[in-house]
Structures are given as structure tokens and as C-alpha cells.
Amino acid sequence: MKIRKAKPNELEEIAKIMLKEFSKPPFNERVSFGFAFDSLKFYYNLGEIYVTIINREIAGILVFKIEKYWEGKVIIIEDLAVKEQFKKQEVEKALLNFVESYAKSRNIKRILFTTNKKSKAIKFYKKLGYKEEKNRINFSKKLK
């Protein structure tokens, strides 16, 4: 297993993987390929996209950005996806360990992310030491 920065010519394949994985419950995302691809191009320029490679195949994807908060720099994980056939190979754990090392090497003290409240990974995240934020609530509003 190897984790490396994504290459521009891999964004199409990454978009297809993300569309497939995020279309499943509990996420049930329904977006076009074009939208997913454009989003990846945006984050390729604004943030960081890393992939896990197993047997020359992209097995997992990590998309994140660094922002400056009052407390200092934070990493915000935008997307984390693992192909179904690799989910039992600790790819997600490897990607989270990677982003933690990345943060520590840059003196970043906090990693934030949001997931679906029905996600099967919640227990996994807690096992790795991530905690639900007690003083934060996510809000959203769909605009017409």
C-alpha cells in the first residue's frame, strides 16, 4: 500500500470512484460526473488530493484543505472514499494516519470533518480518537 499525491490525469478516475462510493447509503449522493470532476479540479488547485495505491490501482482517496481559524491552522477533510473491495485492508485508517502525520509535520493541531450521522464508520473514527464536537452544529440551507 502506497499513499501519494494524486496526479491531474487521475482526477477522472477519482471522480468515478467517489460517485460510486458516495451514491451508496447512507450518503445517497446524486450528482453528475461533470459536477464531481469540477469539484475535484477545484480541490486539486485549492487543497490536497492524495490516493492510496494497491497493486497499481487507486484503492482510496483523501481530499482536504488547510484553513486558518482563530486557533491557528486546521485541516478540513472534504472527502474520504475507499473502493468497496479494499475496505477490509485498512485503507481508511492508513489515509487518516497519513493526514495526521501531514498535520503534525506542519504544526497543525486540529483535523475537522463531517460525516453522515448514519455512517458505519462513526465507531471506527471514535476508535481512532476522533470525537464528536459537542459545541458545534452543522447548518445548511438549499437555495432556490
Side-chain angles (χ1 to χ4, degrees):
M1 181 181 327
K2 178 182 177 183
I3 297 174
R4 64 162 170 75
K5 202 166 192 163
K7 299 173 185 172
N9 64 344
E10 295 173 320
L11 295 181
E12 257 186 66
E13 182 182 353
I14 292 168
K16 289 175 185 174
I17 294 167
M18 291 176 71
L19 281 172
K20 182 175 183 180
E21 295 306 320
F22 291 135
S23 69
K24 299 173 185 175
F27 304 103
N28 302 315
E29 296 285 340
R30 301 287 181 250
V31 297
S32 69
F33 172 81
F35 183 82
F37 185 65
D38 286 346
S39 177
L40 282 169
K41 288 191 295 186
F42 174 79
Y43 280 110
Y44 190 83
N45 292 319
L46 173 76
E48 301 286 345
I49 301 176
Y50 282 83
V51 292
T52 303
I53 305 295
I54 298 176
N55 299 326
R56 297 188 186 134
E57 183 177 350
I58 295 175
I61 300 114
L62 172 68
V63 180
F64 66 92
K65 64 183 176 184
I66 299 171
E67 289 198 11
K68 182 99 173 172
Y69 282 16
W70 289 98
E71 65 192 80
K73 289 182 182 177
V74 299
I75 285 182
I76 300 174
I77 297 175
E78 296 293 341
D79 289 305
L80 177 62
V82 176
K83 280 185 179 177
E84 189 66 40
Q85 66 265 35
F86 296 106
K87 289 198 175 176
K88 294 189 179 182
Q89 296 185 35
E90 297 198 345
V91 173
E92 190 171 25
K93 183 176 182 181
L95 286 167
L96 288 170
N97 286 338
F98 170 81
V99 77
E100 288 176 17
S101 294
Y102 182 100
K104 287 176 186 175
S105 72
R106 288 157 180 79
N107 203 30
I108 297 171
K109 305 286 186 204
R110 183 179 296 268
I111 297 172
L112 303 169
F113 64 91
T114 302
T115 193
N116 187 292
K117 64 183 174 183
K118 294 180 181 177
S119 173
K120 294 176 186 175
I122 291 173
K123 287 181 186 176
F124 168 75
Y125 297 139
K126 288 180 178 180
K127 185 177 175 184
L128 292 180
Y130 289 87
K131 297 178 177 20
E132 290 180 62
E133 292 276 332
K134 301 287 185 215
N135 60 347
R136 295 178 194 242
I137 300 171
N138 288 324
F139 286 93
S140 75
K141 180 179 182 179
K142 286 194 175 188
L143 304 175
K144 298 176 185 176

